[in-house]
Amino acid sequence: VIASEGVEIKFKTEGFDVVGQVQLSQKPIADVSIFVDGKLATQTDQGGNYKIKALKSGQHNFEAKKEHY
C-alpha cells in the first residue's frame, strides 16, 4: 500500500519475469531448453535469449539443456 495526500494505491505482486542469455565461449546458443524446478519453462531464441514470465518469488532450480552440449 502506498499512500500520499489522501490517495491510496494498493498492489499485489503476482510474480517476476526472468530474462537471460545462454552462451558458450561468449557466443549465444539457440534452441536451448530452460527448465525451472524440473519443468520446461521456455527455449532460447536464435540470439540465445530467453524469458520466463510470472515466476513466483522463492528459491528455484534452473537448468539449461541442449543435445550435444
Side-chain angles (χ1 to χ4, degrees):
V1 176
I2 299 173
S4 176
E5 298 181 27
V7 176
E8 186 176 282
I9 301 169
K10 295 182 180 182
F11 64 92
K12 180 179 177 183
T13 302
E14 294 291 330
F16 299 92
D17 290 349
V18 176
V19 295
Q21 184 182 54
V22 177
Q23 299 180 347
L24 180 63
S25 300
Q26 298 182 334
K27 294 181 182 178
I29 307 297
D31 302 318
V32 176
S33 298
I34 307 296
F35 293 83
V36 178
D37 299 328
K39 296 179 183 176
L40 179 63
T42 191
Q43 281 195 309
T44 60
D45 62 16
Q46 291 302 311
N49 301 300
Y50 65 88
K51 183 174 186 176
I52 300 168
K53 297 180 180 181
L55 187 66
K56 301 293 182 193
S57 63
Q59 185 173 355
H60 298 281
N61 293 310
F62 289 80
E63 189 173 10
K65 292 183 181 180
K66 182 171 179 166
E67 279 192 42
H68 309 294
Y69 280 86

